[in-house]
Amino acid sequence: MNKREIILNLISNRLLLKIMFYAFFIFLNTYSASAQVKLYSTLEKKGFLDCSNNTMLWVDSTAKAPIQHIPQKKFVDLEKVKPPKNFLSEYRYDYWLKITIENPTIDTLDLLFTTGVHQSSTLFQSINNHIVAIAQTQEKRLTDQRLFRADDQYFPIRFFPKTQRLFFIKVNDYPKEKFILKPLLVSRFWQNHHQVRAFYEEYIYIIAYGFLIAVLFFVAFFVLMFYVLDRQKYYLFYGFYTISIALFNLWEYEHSPYFHFIFSYLPFLKFTGNSNIYAFLTHIFYFLFIFEFLGLNQTFPRIAKIFQWVIVFLTITLFADIIILFIIKRLDWSMWLYELFQNIFPILNIFLLVMIFRAKGRVARNIQIGSSFLMLGGLAGFLTHWFNNTPFVLLRIDPSILFVFGTLLEVFFFSIAIGIRSYQVQKEKNSLFKAVKESELRTLRSQINPHFVFNSLNSIKSYILTHRSVEAAEYLTDFSTLMRSILQNSKEQLISLRDELETTLLYIRLEQLRFEDNFEFIYDLDVNIRTNEILIPPMLLQPYIENAIKHGLMNKEGTKRLILKIEQSQKIIIRIEDNGIGREQSSLLRVNTPKYQSMGMHINNERIHLLSQTNDLHIEIEIIDKKSATGKTEGTCVVIQIPIE
């Protein structure tokens, strides 16, 4: 073979190889067309590209298949697979998606890829026939832990020009009502626009639920503070009820990828697949509150027995659900309980409402109205969730404004009922307190009378012993008049200032007789004071006048003077003034009398204190020691200020 023939053979062989290569490439493209996505103008026009028609699915029911064996599994078209209606035991499977994505353009494309909202998704790529994990998303991740900060469902992927990539995606989820696999490629611009549009459509729900949660926690704090002060059990139960329903709403609120308060930091509580725990707690404390607040044990014993059995049943079910979730870890069983009680709870609420409407009274009426609004709101929320198929972006668990309104109205009327009950309880306590204090006042008044009688009888005794029968008779006549007045006034808690002054002046006259006009008495009454309209306690002035005469004037040499002056400004001001020896000197003279006790002053102080508590009559008493410029004692002045109503 010559040189020319060798060259021709080489050219023909290379041409044959090229033809075989292109034929094989066309065959591969034809074979994989059903699982290949090309990034053409559709993505540019719409901003997103639905890849469902070009995606294959394989379900690993054992969740144990080796990763490197996945490409050899029998994948089927995703569009031909019908997801289960109730996603219960299927949550334990691994769902594998297979998709080939080609960028035929000359541009580098930064896109976002998602298969929908799931508990977790792991992205694998086939590199040299080897499966390599390149990224993972998880719903429980916080913002700073995500691949794409704005939303936990997206994988950011960069596609270089004229390249083709084969992806495998493993999807895991928890039990829920709808399990949807919808692979999408979206541009970042479209995703941002999608979020902004969702905000304008859903912000009212965000505000409503945020306001509801804030109100519930505030009411719970407020009511629990009342429990600390008052120790009424219904405060405790209502506080826990409002906390439970707040947690129920917060659990739904925090399933949004944009809000993180409590449950986002406690993923084992957030991602249980349902809100059973919070729903059970809400109903348990709701029944306990109604049971305690309406006093069913006393008013309706039979209904109370039913309530007790319902509470026990719900409590046992709650603990069973906790065991299922956190010990056995069968989320599908818990979801089955959730679906079962979705039908039982409305029946329980209707039963509760019927029982509540048997109670009577203003308090029960507010409970009835509040419970009706709550039940109607819950029913409206259920129907909204049942008939509304519009997916939410910001709040992934379908919200209901009617449920928010129903709950707020229930809290409003329940708070009114609690306020009325608190007012009634406080009123009863005040009545009991007032009765006790009035009893103490009657006891004190009865102590004043014998104290005064003892002193007066001593004076009569003195007259008789000194053979002054005429003076004794006159004294006894005035004394009997005074005693009649005192006995009459002692029946009353308050008397007019006129009656008190008549009794006081008669007492001073008796003391002048007793001490044989040994002191001068000056009486000054403002003519503008309507003494018959001013109310004061009976025998208020007598102890201070007695002290002024007995301890101030009788131990003084020279001129003795007692002044009683009544004037009016903003208050009625009564001054009892003497020019006696003063309190310091008087106390020194009483040192040698160990058994002495100023009964009248002590009793009067007790009466003034009790009157301020029972009648809101705040009488101010000030005792002033009068002194000269050189510091010499010049007597005592008692200033009594009585408010004018």
Side-chain angles (χ1 to χ4, degrees):
M1 185 178 294
N2 58 29
K3 185 176 181 181
R4 184 172 178 274
E5 288 177 343
I6 294 172
I7 294 172
L8 288 174
N9 284 334
L10 287 173
I11 293 173
S12 62
N13 288 338
R14 287 183 181 179
L15 182 61
L16 180 62
L17 287 173
K18 285 185 179 181
I19 293 172
M20 292 177 62
F21 175 80
Y22 282 116
F24 182 71
F25 182 76
I26 292 171
F27 171 78
L28 283 178
N29 281 342
T30 304
Y31 179 78
S32 61
S34 61
Q36 180 175 328
V37 176
K38 293 188 178 182
L39 306 177
Y40 289 119
S41 59
T42 303
L43 186 61
E44 296 179 3
K45 291 179 180 179
K46 294 184 178 180
F48 69 92
L49 183 62
D50 188 349
C51 307
S52 300
N53 292 330
N54 305 97
T55 304
M56 312 290 284
L57 171 69
W58 176 69
V59 180
D60 180 10
S61 59
T62 65
K64 296 179 179 179
I67 293 176
Q68 300 306 323
H69 293 177
I70 298 301
Q72 286 78 43
K73 300 299 181 182
K74 187 177 181 180
F75 283 80
V76 297
D77 290 339
L78 178 62
E79 291 290 296
K80 296 180 180 179
V81 179
K82 292 183 179 180
K85 292 182 178 180
N86 292 319
F87 191 67
L88 294 178
S89 58
E90 294 84 359
Y91 84 98
R92 308 175 79 182
Y93 302 165
D94 285 344
Y95 293 83
W96 287 90
L97 299 177
K98 176 183 177 182
I99 182 171
T100 301
I101 302 176
E102 179 187 356
N103 179 12
T105 70
I106 60 173
D107 299 319
T108 298
L109 303 178
D110 287 315
L111 302 176
L112 301 173
F113 179 74
T114 179
T115 59
V117 178
H118 304 289
Q119 185 180 23
S120 69
S121 299
T122 307
L123 182 67
F124 298 86
Q125 183 177 353
S126 178
I127 301 175
N128 298 325
N129 296 322
H130 189 74
I131 305 299
V132 179
I134 58 175
Q136 185 181 53
T137 65
Q138 288 186 338
E139 193 176 0
K140 66 182 180 181
R141 285 182 177 176
L142 299 177
T143 305
D144 58 349
Q145 299 171 338
R146 298 173 184 166
L147 299 173
F148 181 66
R149 285 180 63 89
D151 203 322
D152 54 54
Q153 64 175 304
Y154 290 109
F155 292 101
I157 305 176
R158 173 167 291 181
F159 295 93
F160 292 101
K162 303 292 183 177
T163 58
Q164 177 178 291
R165 300 171 72 179
L166 174 61
F167 294 107
F168 292 90
I169 305 98
K170 184 175 75 170
V171 176
N172 297 104
D173 224 327
Y174 45 79
K176 54 185 179 182
E177 295 179 5
K178 296 178 181 179
F179 176 70
I180 300 174
L181 289 170
K182 191 173 182 65
L184 289 176
L185 277 167
V186 304
S187 67
R188 293 174 182 264
F189 175 80
W190 179 90
Q191 197 276 337
N192 291 335
H193 175 72
H194 186 56
Q195 280 185 322
V196 172
R197 185 178 59 185
F199 173 78
Y200 282 105
E201 293 175 352
E202 301 176 26
Y203 76 93
I204 187 65
Y205 299 102
I206 298 172
I207 295 173
Y209 269 77
F211 179 73
L212 173 63
I213 292 167
V215 168
L216 289 170
F217 276 120
F218 174 79
V219 170
F221 174 78
F222 192 74
V223 171
L224 290 176
M225 287 299 296
F226 267 94
Y227 171 73
V228 172
L229 297 173
D230 206 15
R231 295 296 176 180
Q232 294 289 340
K233 286 184 180 179
Y234 57 79
Y235 285 132
L236 185 66
F237 294 145
Y238 190 67
F240 285 148
Y241 160 70
T242 50
I243 289 175
S244 299
I245 198 169
L247 291 175
F248 173 82
N249 287 280
L250 189 61
W251 181 87
E252 295 188 345
Y253 200 69
E254 284 203 41
H255 272 77
S256 166
Y258 309 103
F259 308 108
H260 309 284
F261 298 105
I262 298 175
F263 293 106
S264 296
Y265 300 94
L266 302 170
F268 68 97
L269 289 178
K270 178 179 178 181
F271 298 100
T272 55
N274 60 68
S275 53
N276 265 3
I277 293 176
Y278 318 109
F280 279 125
L281 287 173
T282 298
H283 281 80
I284 289 170
F285 287 117
Y286 188 64
F287 273 77
L288 283 171
F289 166 70
I290 298 297
F291 178 85
E292 185 70 25
F293 189 69
L294 296 181
L296 296 182
N297 263 339
Q298 292 75 33
T299 54
F300 301 102
R302 291 184 179 178
I303 295 176
K305 201 70 177 176
I306 298 173
F307 265 62
Q308 289 173 338
W309 280 109
V310 170
I311 292 168
V312 170
F313 169 70
L314 290 176
T315 305
I316 293 174
T317 310
L318 169 63
F319 280 107
D321 189 50
I322 292 173
I323 292 172
I324 289 171
L325 282 174
F326 300 110
I327 299 178
I328 303 176
K329 297 184 178 180
R330 286 299 301 263
L331 302 185
D332 51 331
W333 296 356
S334 179
M335 191 65 182
W336 179 83
L337 273 179
Y338 171 78
E339 293 183 349
L340 174 64
F341 276 88
Q342 285 291 302
N343 300 317
I344 292 178
F345 282 143
I347 298 173
L348 284 177
N349 292 333
I350 293 172
F351 160 76
L352 173 66
L353 196 60
V354 171
M355 295 300 102
I356 290 174
F357 269 93
R358 298 187 62 181
K360 305 296 181 184
R362 188 180 175 189
V363 172
R365 193 179 308 116
N366 282 280
I367 294 294
Q368 292 160 3
I369 296 172
S371 298
S372 300
F373 276 119
L374 181 64
M375 190 184 75
L376 292 174
L379 179 62
F382 174 77
L383 292 176
T384 302
H385 178 73
W386 184 266
F387 291 107
N388 184 18
N389 294 318
T390 304
F392 285 81
V393 176
L394 304 182
L395 295 173
R396 289 176 176 170
I397 297 179
D398 295 348
S400 170
I401 294 294
L402 294 176
F403 172 73
V404 172
F405 282 146
T407 306
L408 286 174
L409 288 171
E410 177 266 339
V411 170
F412 175 74
F413 282 101
F414 274 30
S415 299
I416 290 177
I418 289 176
I420 294 171
R421 171 58 61 83
S422 300
Y423 172 76
Q424 291 174 345
V425 170
Q426 192 61 42
K427 188 176 180 181
E428 292 173 1
K429 287 184 177 180
N430 290 341
S431 298
L432 181 60
F433 178 79
K434 188 174 181 179
V436 171
K437 296 305 178 183
E438 287 178 352
S439 175
E440 293 179 6
L441 278 171
R442 286 193 294 270
T443 302
L444 290 172
R445 288 200 300 270
S446 67
Q447 291 175 358
I448 284 182
N449 294 338
H451 177 70
F452 168 71
V453 170
F454 174 78
N455 290 335
S456 299
L457 290 177
N458 277 340
S459 298
I460 297 173
K461 176 184 176 183
S462 175
Y463 283 125
I464 294 173
L465 291 176
T466 55
H467 304 288
R468 298 156 64 189
S469 57
V470 176
E471 290 88 343
E474 291 178 358
Y475 191 96
L476 190 58
T477 300
D478 288 339
F479 176 72
S480 63
T481 304
L482 179 61
M483 284 303 301
R484 189 181 302 113
S485 176
I486 290 174
L487 291 173
Q488 180 66 32
N489 292 339
S490 64
K491 298 177 183 178
E492 306 295 333
Q493 187 170 325
L494 296 172
I495 62 172
S496 67
L497 179 59
R498 181 179 62 186
D499 293 339
E500 173 69 5
L501 289 175
E502 287 177 357
T503 304
T504 301
L505 293 175
L506 186 55
Y507 167 73
I508 294 173
R509 175 58 188 158
L510 285 174
E511 290 294 74
Q512 284 182 313
L513 290 174
R514 176 185 172 194
F515 294 108
E516 300 178 348
D517 291 320
N518 196 21
F519 63 89
E520 177 188 2
F521 173 59
I522 300 173
Y523 176 55
D524 183 9
L525 173 64
D526 187 344
V527 294
N528 295 320
I529 298 176
R530 297 181 180 180
T531 55
N532 62 324
E533 297 179 1
I534 307 299
L535 297 179
I536 67 171
M539 298 292 286
L540 175 65
L541 307 182
Q542 186 271 336
Y544 302 105
I545 292 174
E546 176 188 343
N547 275 359
I549 296 171
K550 184 176 179 182
H551 304 298
L553 299 178
M554 292 304 103
N555 295 314
K556 176 181 171 60
E557 299 292 335
T559 304
K560 303 171 184 177
R561 185 181 301 110
L562 175 66
I563 301 173
L564 176 60
K565 184 177 182 180
I566 301 99
E567 57 187 357
Q568 179 177 346
S569 57
Q570 298 297 323
K571 300 180 179 180
I572 298 297
I573 301 175
I574 302 174
R575 298 180 184 275
I576 302 170
E577 191 172 348
D578 68 78
N579 64 341
I581 62 174
R583 289 191 296 172
E584 292 182 9
Q585 187 64 29
S586 177
S587 62
L588 292 175
L589 294 175
R590 294 198 300 267
V591 171
N592 297 324
T593 311
K595 292 186 179 181
Y596 174 80
Q597 184 180 10
S598 181
M599 286 288 295
M601 294 285 287
H602 174 72
I603 293 171
N604 233 22
N605 291 335
E606 288 286 330
R607 294 171 69 211
I608 296 301
H609 176 66
L610 291 173
L611 280 169
S612 68
Q613 294 179 316
T614 57
N615 292 71
D616 200 26
L617 180 60
H618 301 282
I619 298 174
E620 299 177 15
I621 299 177
E622 182 182 9
I623 301 177
I624 304 170
D625 296 313
K626 301 193 301 180
K627 294 183 181 293
S628 66
T630 59
K632 182 180 178 181
T633 299
E634 293 184 344
T636 307
C637 179
V638 178
V639 181
I640 303 173
Q641 299 185 50
I642 302 171
I644 302 174
E645 295 183 359

